[in-house]
Amino acid sequence: MKHIKFTIYTFVVVTVFLLTSCADMLMGDEGKYDEDVYLNYKTKTVLELPFEDDWYIAAGGKSLEINHHFAPNRHQRYALDMFHVINRRGGIGDGTKNEDYYCFGKPLNAPGDGKIIALENGIDENVPGVLNTKKPFGNYIVIDHLNGEFSFMLHLKKNSIIVALGDTVIRGQKVGLAGNSGYSTGPHLHYHLQSTSSVETGVGLPIQFINYYADDVFTERGEPITSQIVRKK
């Protein structure tokens, strides 16, 4: 087999199943009118990108045209799928091993201050291209920002989470490593913000981060969208 050159464009093809996997996890479009209420929502929590270096936004934005999360899942309507890139490449090799992906094992940080109210740390990594349908979130963290906003970080690496239930975290604090666990076909971070801690009752909220670069343009406060490369200031 010829090795795949992991430019962003070929890598996006490789991760098509990854994108649909997040979208197909739960429930259907019960929140079809939620965008009328939340489309112009202003994030209360001071959030920063939960990683260092360059990451590619594989899915993000406020419409179905640019963000596959928008219609299927009420609780993650404005979710982001992101992976680490170096020189606009997502990895090396042929993509058959998690270690082929630059994202795998990259440190992840708390995006904002809050309290850890749920987590899972013992789910095995997937082989790229294979889904874990029994544990769709994989290894994950939920942060209660104590203001009616809750951060969900999904698909982390097995046994990499270094915070515990009840811990208080601060923005930028390391919490774990990126992985490929759960309903995911390749290493990446799924991140979304919602209005409750429950996927049954929560409604997805728009996510504004502070002080980051999007395609090398500084943004004081903004919302990453599909195809951008972002990094913290």
Side-chain angles (χ1 to χ4, degrees), residues 2-215:
K2 293 183 179 179
H3 284 221
I4 299 171
K5 293 182 178 180
F6 277 13
T7 63
I8 283 175
Y9 305 103
T10 56
F11 190 78
V12 168
V13 172
V14 170
T15 56
V16 164
F17 292 113
L18 174 158
L19 302 184
T20 56
S21 71
C22 285
D24 293 338
M25 279 165 51
L26 290 169
M27 76 175 53
D29 192 18
E30 297 177 9
K32 62 182 177 180
Y33 299 117
D34 291 335
E35 62 267 29
D36 296 335
V37 178
Y38 294 105
L39 194 62
N40 297 312
Y41 181 86
K42 303 300 182 185
T43 307
K44 300 173 186 176
T45 309
V46 178
L47 297 174
E48 66 179 24
L49 294 172
F51 41 67
E52 308 295 334
D53 306 316
D54 289 350
W55 285 59
Y56 180 75
I57 305 300
K62 289 183 172 179
S63 72
L64 183 59
E65 288 74 22
I66 59 173
N67 188 354
H68 64 91
H69 298 103
F70 195 76
N73 299 300
R74 187 183 188 203
H75 66 289
Q76 53 177 277
R77 185 172 294 275
Y78 304 99
L80 299 166
D81 287 333
M82 304 170 279
F83 58 83
H84 177 46
V85 293
I86 298 176
N87 296 325
R88 302 187 66 83
R89 294 174 179 267
I92 57 174
D94 61 8
T96 59
K97 303 185 297 296
N98 288 316
E99 291 76 13
D100 288 342
Y101 297 78
Y102 294 138
C103 184
F104 188 66
K106 285 292 292 182
L108 298 175
N109 307 323
D113 298 348
K115 181 178 180 180
I116 303 297
I117 61 167
L119 63 82
E120 175 68 67
N121 201 20
I123 305 301
D124 290 336
E125 304 301 321
N126 300 332
V127 174
V130 178
L131 300 171
N132 181 344
T133 59
K134 295 181 179 180
K135 294 285 187 177
F137 282 9
N139 302 302
Y140 71 91
I141 296 170
V142 180
I143 303 173
D144 181 354
H145 296 296
L146 307 178
N147 57 9
E149 295 178 344
F150 299 80
S151 283
F152 283 65
M153 303 174 71
L154 312 183
H155 311 313
L156 276 65
K157 186 177 180 182
K158 182 179 181 180
N159 294 330
S160 73
I161 295 172
I162 57 174
V163 291
L165 287 177
D167 282 358
T168 297
V169 295
I170 60 173
R171 185 173 72 251
Q173 176 181 338
K174 183 179 175 181
V175 293
L177 304 176
N180 181 27
S181 60
Y183 208 75
S184 165
T185 63
H188 75 293
L189 171 66
H190 170 106
Y191 173 74
H192 73 268
L193 195 69
Q194 62 181 63
S195 61
T196 76
S197 61
S198 166
V199 296
E200 283 79 22
T201 63
V203 175
L205 303 173
I207 308 161
Q208 289 113 39
F209 296 104
I210 64 166
N211 299 334
Y212 69 95
Y213 289 90
D215 295 332

